[in-house]
Amino acid sequence: MNTSITEIINNINPSWQTDLKIRYIYYKVNSLVQKDLRYFCASDEEKYKQYQNGFVNRFPYIVCSTLADCFVDIFKSVDIYAKKVVANSAKIPLFALIVLGDHGFYFLDPINDIFNIQYNLYPQNFGVIPYYRTLRKNYHNLTHLDRKYLEELDTTLNNNIPVNYTNNYIKELKDKMCQRNKACEFLGIPKGDRVSLTSQKLVFFNDHLINIGNVKGPFERTRLYYYLFNNLLSSNEERQIDIYLDDIEYEIANVYLKLHVNPSKYLLFREEKKDDNYQLKLIK
């Protein structure tokens, strides 16, 4: 078993209630992994081939199936019942989890919470009633866990889990950043200078937002920018910026942001990692 996984298991307090153990494992494992670019950046044909041949466990590079397998093995090692389940009827289905906790069977969709957990956002796919009809049909006795209850679990685990979710910080910034005049005042930009406003927002992201938490892989890094843009840019600003990865060398891929100034001019930023921090570098 992976050394990091063994450490997670060894750090579990045997006296914890089952839900605390489940919550702790959910956070800790998702903080380690990143989506496998050999799958997620492959063609549809290659993805289906990988699915038919059986996904290879390349931890910490994961797909939904191998991540679910990892969780099942960990839960089993601490005597918690868990099962990998097919969540939908797609050609390549989503694999998720059913776990037996203190209040019944819970649905967990860990792959869709990787970014949330790594960016210290509140997890959205823990103890929810899934919208997948296939899953609801096959598992009709699932328990919905109240957010207040889950936040109480997080508070109990406050030495291991960030209770001050980044959501609160982003919500405060949204009021200052999304309305143009407020954003200009907040960032010290003359009103009406739209190009400077958008580029200054990117500077603010670089200085204050892109190193929150520990968002690991290239795929998750692109998700980070989509999240920030969706919450802190206007719809017009969002349309001005393209987000993409460069030529894929599997796990070694750079995130690029292309800000279109006008139809014939753009500013190109590349995200680079120095020491343990990321920064946006203007390269064109």
Side-chain angles (χ1 to χ4, degrees):
M1 187 173 283
N2 180 276
T3 303
S4 298
I5 296 299
T6 301
E7 184 178 341
I8 291 172
I9 294 171
N10 290 340
N11 286 336
I12 294 173
N13 188 330
S15 67
W16 284 348
Q17 66 184 87
T18 299
D19 285 0
L20 276 175
K21 294 177 182 178
I22 296 171
R23 189 74 166 173
Y24 175 79
I25 292 168
Y26 192 74
Y27 269 94
K28 284 300 186 178
V29 174
N30 268 350
S31 70
L32 297 175
V33 299
Q34 54 186 276
K35 289 184 176 179
D36 191 345
L37 297 186
R38 297 190 190 189
Y39 174 78
F40 286 97
C41 291
S43 65
D44 289 343
E45 181 181 359
E46 173 58 26
K47 286 179 179 177
Y48 189 63
K49 181 180 178 181
Q50 290 186 38
Y51 166 62
Q52 285 188 309
N53 291 338
F55 294 113
V56 177
N57 183 355
R58 300 185 58 247
F59 189 91
Y61 310 108
I62 55 85
V63 298
C64 60
S65 179
T66 58
L67 181 59
D69 287 335
C70 176
F71 273 104
V72 169
D73 289 343
I74 296 170
F75 286 134
K76 182 178 179 180
S77 73
V78 293
D79 298 320
I80 295 174
Y81 173 82
K83 179 181 180 181
K84 180 170 78 171
V85 295
V86 176
N88 58 15
S89 56
K91 182 178 180 181
I92 305 176
L94 170 73
F95 292 93
L97 296 165
I98 301 295
V99 181
L100 180 59
D102 291 311
H103 301 284
F105 287 97
Y106 312 146
F107 170 73
L108 309 182
D109 183 7
I111 197 166
N112 284 316
D113 263 333
I114 293 173
F115 167 70
N116 291 336
I117 286 173
Q118 292 184 0
Y119 198 59
N120 297 349
L121 298 172
Y122 182 81
Q124 298 294 320
N125 299 282
F126 185 106
V128 297
I129 301 301
Y131 59 83
Y132 306 108
R133 277 187 279 181
T134 300
L135 194 62
R136 291 203 310 270
K137 179 180 177 181
N138 293 332
Y139 299 92
H140 50 80
N141 61 338
L142 296 173
T143 300
H144 175 265
L145 295 174
D146 181 74
R147 175 163 179 156
K148 182 178 179 181
Y149 171 70
L150 293 175
E151 290 181 352
E152 288 172 354
L153 293 180
D154 292 351
T155 301
T156 303
L157 294 167
N158 63 5
N159 289 328
N160 305 290
I161 291 172
V163 177
N164 294 318
Y165 309 112
T166 306
N167 306 68
N168 300 327
Y169 181 36
I170 299 298
K171 185 177 179 180
E172 291 176 6
L173 287 175
K174 191 169 187 175
D175 182 58
K176 301 174 182 177
M177 298 276 270
C178 286
Q179 204 280 333
R180 188 184 307 138
N181 288 341
K182 285 186 177 180
C184 287
E185 181 179 353
F186 178 66
L187 298 171
I189 301 297
K191 293 179 181 179
D193 190 348
R194 297 187 181 187
V195 174
S196 294
L197 176 59
T198 307
S199 60
Q200 191 61 35
K201 284 187 179 183
L202 294 182
V203 171
F204 183 87
F205 295 169
N206 178 75
D207 293 344
H208 301 285
L209 299 176
I210 67 173
N211 287 297
I212 288 175
N214 186 18
V215 182
K216 294 182 179 297
F219 205 95
E220 289 72 33
R221 299 299 303 177
T222 61
R223 175 79 185 276
L224 164 60
Y225 288 103
Y226 280 116
Y227 172 79
L228 294 177
F229 291 0
N230 183 58
N231 281 278
L232 301 177
L233 297 184
S234 68
S235 57
N236 287 334
E237 287 174 320
E238 282 192 83
R239 287 192 288 268
Q240 288 179 259
I241 305 178
D242 300 322
I243 308 170
Y244 61 91
L245 297 173
D246 63 0
D247 294 336
I248 304 302
E249 286 288 340
Y250 296 119
E251 286 71 55
I252 304 172
N254 296 301
V255 179
Y256 286 81
L257 307 181
K258 180 186 283 188
L259 171 59
H260 296 275
V261 178
N262 57 49
S264 60
K265 181 181 178 181
Y266 63 85
L267 302 175
L268 185 62
F269 300 84
R270 180 174 63 222
E271 186 185 71
E272 298 181 352
K273 190 174 184 181
K274 185 176 182 180
D275 298 324
D276 289 326
N277 287 317
Y278 292 90
Q279 58 183 7
L280 287 172
K281 183 178 180 180
L282 179 64
I283 60 173
K284 186 174 180 181

